[in-house]
């Protein structure tokens, strides 16, 4: 007996090693979800919102390096996938979205819930197509999966509701060829880069996630050139731990040591990064860039030598041509200076993370002016999580201040992993990404750094954690604010407006939904509460009331930012006095 279109798709997903399909059930998906129901080793994960499903599938893809899968039914169900799919697309991770559609005969008639999926997903997908005949399968599925995996992106396959249960006339197993090519530049380009690097007296590395599979080669390059290594946020995982060359991040979440290393080098070597913030690049130095995508070369900063190729393969060809800076002597001054500055900055951050820091610094004056004795420093919360989390924990973080505190106070030691919406910059990503991560690694500790604004957006999928008893630990930085927006407003000299949040007791909400809820309002209870949250079996939400006035100073603060902040504070204070 020939298989149906739905069973061809589901059998192929199982053969590819896909273990979970995330989505919300609906009529157009019924043939597909029923096929999943009757298939061993493939689990349907019913989410409360399709956006959460897409984030969860993208998280599994990023962590595993393989295909993630989500589904949305006809019309609104598919539309809801869009934001999570954009995150996967910007993260260049392979995700297959299978979308329902109105019956074949009704396509183009403005039927109830009809949406043109091929048009809707045009910008986000590397492949999109609507199945209009059983005879197109499994060829069309093979094309979709191949495009997603080999191009590192989203493929959208639309299946009309009356097509999924139709049988194939010429049934055959799906076959996939998914190997990605490893390339490197030719010899003259390699020699040109080596000549430029060997002639430099102060080389700085800017390392991104695209170099994650070349850790050995990157560290050897830094060693030969005595080069400080500035990391992008996505390169924390893989390069932060056990690395005597790294000096942390640059940009708004960065530190002075990284900014100094960039500004005082005479050659910048960019490895697998498309770091987007132009203002943070050095202005007067030579640039060598290695990236697999030719269109990235010179996109952010003009380059003198652009090498299109895999970072590992390119460095393996480049390393024999590099001259080693002597272990002793003036050639190491640039590296030693950057590392000293980084150590000083880290010591300052440790002081900030001490729960007693604010009382020591301000004493009775602050207490008299500002009644915030029981608001907890977000730095202290992040540092406590770092101290008690497992060395193989997987972290996710919401866009905004939660990411700032994670970047500064959580070290990627051991085999820790880190993902977030670091290219799209979406809110509400941390919790659904943690959902996908926990299903991917059921025996590992999954910790989500949640902003209160982000958590509120997709609060319903706390029920998904409870339904599947996923032992995710949600750490909520509850400052009753859209904190990053508040900071952006104040740096521009604007008073805070529209950022205040009327939050519930998130711990009580979590308890009502079937999770363990823990609320912390007293700094003296912070460490015990963090330890208890991480040790408690099952899903836990740790709601910590943090200081909304805490400011993250960038690595290179400007006079304009400081002046704008002062003006904003005056504007915020004066109206209250008039009232």
């Amino acid at each position: 007996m020939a298989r149906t279109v739905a069973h061809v798709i589901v059998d192929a997903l199982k053969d590819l090693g896909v273990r979970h399909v995330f989505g919300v059930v609906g009529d157009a998906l019924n043939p597909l979800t029923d096929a999943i129901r009757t298939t061993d080793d493939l689990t349907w994960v019913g989410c409360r919102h399709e956006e959460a499903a897409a984030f969860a599938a993208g998280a599994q893809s990023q962590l595993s390096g393989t295909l993630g899968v989500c589904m949305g039914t006809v019309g609104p169900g598919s539309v809801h996938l869009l934001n999570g799919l954009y995150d996967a697309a910007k993260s260049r991770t392979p995700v297959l979205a299978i979308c329902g559609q109105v019956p074949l005969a009704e396509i183009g008639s403005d039927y109830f819930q009809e949406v043109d999926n091929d048009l809707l997903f045009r910008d986000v997908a590397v492949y999109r197509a609507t199945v209009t005949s059983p005879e197109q399968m499994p060829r069309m599925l093979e094309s979709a999966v191949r495009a997603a995996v080999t191009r590192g992106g989203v493929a959208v396959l639309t299946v009309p509701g009356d097509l999924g249960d139709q049988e194939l006339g010429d049934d055959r197993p799906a076959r996939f060829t998914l190997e990605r090519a490893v390339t490197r530049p030719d010899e003259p380009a390699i020699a040109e880069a080596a000549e430029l690097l060997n002639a430099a007296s102060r080389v700085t590395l800017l390392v991104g996630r695209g170099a994650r599979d070349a850790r050995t080669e990157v560290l050897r390059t830094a060693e030969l050139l005595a080069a400080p290594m500035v990391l992008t946020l996505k390169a924390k995982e893989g390069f932060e731990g056990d690395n005597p060359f790294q000096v942390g991040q640059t940009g708004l979440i960065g530190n002075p040591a990284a900014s100094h290393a960039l500004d005082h080098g005479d050659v910048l070597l960019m490895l697998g990064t498309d770091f987007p913030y132009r203002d943070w690049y050095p202005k007067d130095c030579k640039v060598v860039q290695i990236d697999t995508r030719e269109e990235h070369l010179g996109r952010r900063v003009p380059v003198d030598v652009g090498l299109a190729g895999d970072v590992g393969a390119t460095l393996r060809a480049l390393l024999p041509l590099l001259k080693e800076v002597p272990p002793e002597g003036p050639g190491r001054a640039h590296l030693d200076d950057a590392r000293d500055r980084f150590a000083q900055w880290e010591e300052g951050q440790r002081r900030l993370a001490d729960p007693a820091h604010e009382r020591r610094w301000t004493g009775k004056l602050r207490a008299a002016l500002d009644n915030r004795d029981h608001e907890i420093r977000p730095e202290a919360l992040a540092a406590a999580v770092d101290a008690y989390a497992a060395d193989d924990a997987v972290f996710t973080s919401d866009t905004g201040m939660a990411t700032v505190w994670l970047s500064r106070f959580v070290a990627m030691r051991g085999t820790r992993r880190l993902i977030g919406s670091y290219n799209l910059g979406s809110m509400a990503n941390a919790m659904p990404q943690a959902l996908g991560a926990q299903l991917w690694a059921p025996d590992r500790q999954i910790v989500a750094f949640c902003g209160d604004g982000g958590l509120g957006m997709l609060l319903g999928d706390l029920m998904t954690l409870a339904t599947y008893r996923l032992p995710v630990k949600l750490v909520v930085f509850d400052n009753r604010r859209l904190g990053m927006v508040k900071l952006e407003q104040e740096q521009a000299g604007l008073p805070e407006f529209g950022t205040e949040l009327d939050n519930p007791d998130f711990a009580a909400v979590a308890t009502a939904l079937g999770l363990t809820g823990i609320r912390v309002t007293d700094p003296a209870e912070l460490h015990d509460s963090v330890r208890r949250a991480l040790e408690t079996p099952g899903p836990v939400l740790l709601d910590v009331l943090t200081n909304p006035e805490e400011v993250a100073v960038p690595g290179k603060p400007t006079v304009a930012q400081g002046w704008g902040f002062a003006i904003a504070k005056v504007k915020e204070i004066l109206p209250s006095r008039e009232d």
Side-chain angles (χ1 to χ4, degrees):
M1 180 177 176
R3 294 177 299 165
T4 65
V5 169
H7 275 96
V8 167
I9 293 173
V10 170
D11 290 346
L13 295 180
K14 177 183 174 180
D15 292 343
L16 281 166
V18 175
R19 292 184 292 159
H20 304 101
V21 178
F22 301 88
V24 178
V25 296
D27 53 355
L29 293 180
N30 284 342
L32 288 154
T33 52
D34 189 64
I36 294 172
R37 179 184 65 83
T38 58
T39 300
D40 294 333
D41 301 322
L42 186 63
T43 301
W44 172 261
V45 182
C47 298
R48 298 305 180 107
H49 196 294
E50 288 90 352
E51 181 177 347
F55 271 125
Q60 286 203 343
S61 176
Q62 290 187 63
L63 292 167
S64 67
T66 59
L67 186 72
V69 181
C70 58
M71 292 188 184
T73 193
V74 60
S78 295
V79 173
H80 284 165
L81 292 172
L82 198 56
N83 191 54
L85 293 181
Y86 260 107
D87 185 75
K90 296 277 280 185
S91 298
R92 300 194 182 279
T93 198
V95 170
L96 173 66
I98 299 174
C99 297
Q101 186 54 283
V102 301
L104 272 172
E106 302 295 344
I107 292 178
S109 70
D110 196 22
Y111 196 71
F112 174 64
Q113 291 192 321
E114 182 182 4
V115 170
D116 186 343
N117 287 343
D118 293 340
L119 179 62
L120 173 69
F121 295 107
R122 181 174 64 179
D123 183 52
V124 73
V126 296
Y127 177 95
R128 64 198 186 283
T130 297
V131 182
T132 58
S133 168
E135 282 66 41
Q136 293 174 308
M137 301 297 289
R139 173 175 47 85
M140 192 173 284
L141 175 66
E142 292 167 340
S143 296
V145 171
R146 189 178 302 115
V149 172
T150 60
R151 297 175 63 183
V154 172
V156 178
L157 192 65
T158 296
V159 182
D162 59 343
L163 196 72
D165 56 7
Q166 292 188 28
E167 293 183 354
L168 275 67
D170 183 19
D171 190 6
R172 68 168 176 84
R175 293 189 289 267
F176 300 97
T177 303
L178 303 176
E179 294 300 321
R180 302 183 70 172
V182 176
T183 61
R184 72 168 181 83
D186 58 16
E187 299 302 333
I190 295 287
E192 184 182 4
E195 182 180 2
L196 185 57
L197 292 166
N198 288 331
S201 58
R202 300 180 307 279
V203 177
T204 299
L205 306 187
L206 178 60
V207 180
R209 186 180 176 92
R212 64 188 180 275
D213 294 328
R215 175 183 164 90
T216 300
E217 292 86 352
V218 172
L219 291 178
R220 179 57 177 160
T221 301
E223 180 182 21
L224 287 177
L225 299 174
M229 187 186 303
V230 178
L231 306 178
T232 67
L233 178 59
K234 294 174 74 172
K236 269 178 69 77
E237 176 198 311
F239 286 100
E240 187 173 60
D242 193 23
N243 182 350
F245 307 102
Q246 69 96 8
V247 293
Q249 283 91 61
T250 185
L252 290 174
I253 66 172
N255 70 79
S259 297
H260 187 274
L262 287 170
D263 289 341
H264 289 78
D266 55 4
V267 172
L268 173 64
L269 176 57
M270 298 171 60
L271 301 175
T273 178
D274 190 38
F275 182 74
Y277 305 105
R278 299 176 189 272
D279 291 345
W280 295 88
Y281 281 97
K283 299 298 187 291
D284 299 311
C285 74
K286 302 290 186 179
V287 178
V288 178
Q289 183 178 4
I290 303 174
D291 201 288
T292 54
R293 296 176 180 270
E294 292 184 50
E295 67 270 21
H296 287 185
L297 300 178
R299 180 158 78 165
R300 307 302 182 187
V301 63
V303 301
D304 296 273
V305 181
L307 303 175
D310 175 80
V311 172
T314 303
L315 288 182
R316 285 191 290 274
L318 179 63
L319 281 167
L321 304 180
L322 297 180
K323 297 177 182 178
E324 183 173 8
V325 173
E328 304 292 337
R332 292 185 59 86
H334 181 50
L335 172 61
D336 293 341
D337 179 50
R339 288 286 291 175
D340 289 344
R341 290 173 183 268
F342 184 53
Q344 294 170 16
W345 179 79
E346 285 191 306
E347 177 58 32
Q349 295 298 293
R350 281 190 287 271
R351 290 195 295 271
L352 288 176
D354 184 345
H357 170 79
E358 194 158 8
R359 290 193 296 274
R360 286 200 308 267
W361 181 57
T362 59
K364 296 179 180 179
L365 176 62
R366 174 63 181 267
L369 294 175
D370 195 350
N371 186 25
R372 289 200 176 93
D373 289 344
H374 294 295
E375 286 181 342
I376 296 166
R377 299 183 67 85
E379 300 98 328
L381 172 56
V385 174
D386 176 61
Y388 299 118
D391 283 352
D392 67 345
V394 179
F395 292 88
T396 68
S397 68
D398 270 335
T399 299
M401 299 307 295
T403 289
V404 174
W405 307 129
L406 182 145
S407 73
R408 293 188 173 186
F409 293 96
V410 176
M412 290 295 110
R413 61 178 176 269
T415 56
R416 288 178 171 181
R417 302 291 304 273
L418 172 64
I419 58 172
S421 185
Y422 300 142
N423 290 83
L424 180 63
S426 174
M427 290 179 65
N429 63 282
M431 182 265 290
Q433 286 182 326
L435 188 162
Q438 191 71 81
L439 285 165
W440 170 73
D443 296 328
R444 291 176 72 165
Q445 187 180 74
I446 311 297
V447 182
F449 272 43
C450 299
D452 47 0
L455 182 69
M457 275 189 169
L458 289 176
L459 196 62
D461 272 283
L462 291 181
M463 290 181 277
T464 306
L465 297 180
T467 296
Y468 293 92
R469 299 305 302 166
L470 299 176
V472 169
K473 313 308 177 190
L474 303 171
V475 179
V476 184
F477 288 74
D478 190 351
N479 63 358
R480 289 78 66 207
R481 296 293 192 281
L482 298 176
M484 183 63 79
V485 180
K486 174 182 184 294
L487 182 59
E488 291 167 346
Q489 288 175 347
E490 292 173 339
Q491 286 182 343
L494 302 173
E496 179 185 7
F497 179 76
T499 64
E500 295 188 28
L501 301 173
D502 184 16
N503 289 337
D505 179 336
F506 285 117
V509 171
T511 300
L513 295 177
L515 289 74
T516 298
I518 301 173
R519 186 171 173 89
V520 189
T521 60
D522 187 343
E525 300 174 356
L526 177 64
H527 277 256
D528 285 344
S529 297
V530 169
R531 186 189 300 110
R532 179 158 62 96
L534 294 176
E535 292 176 352
T536 298
V540 178
L541 187 149
L542 180 69
D543 182 16
V544 183
L545 268 62
T546 57
N547 185 357
E549 300 301 329
E550 196 61 31
V551 176
V553 179
K556 234 177 1 181
T558 66
V559 173
Q561 287 171 332
W563 185 241
F565 190 78
I567 292 173
K569 286 302 175 186
V570 170
K571 290 178 180 178
E572 290 169 3
I573 292 170
L574 287 178
S576 64
R577 290 182 175 173
E578 291 170 359
D579 292 342

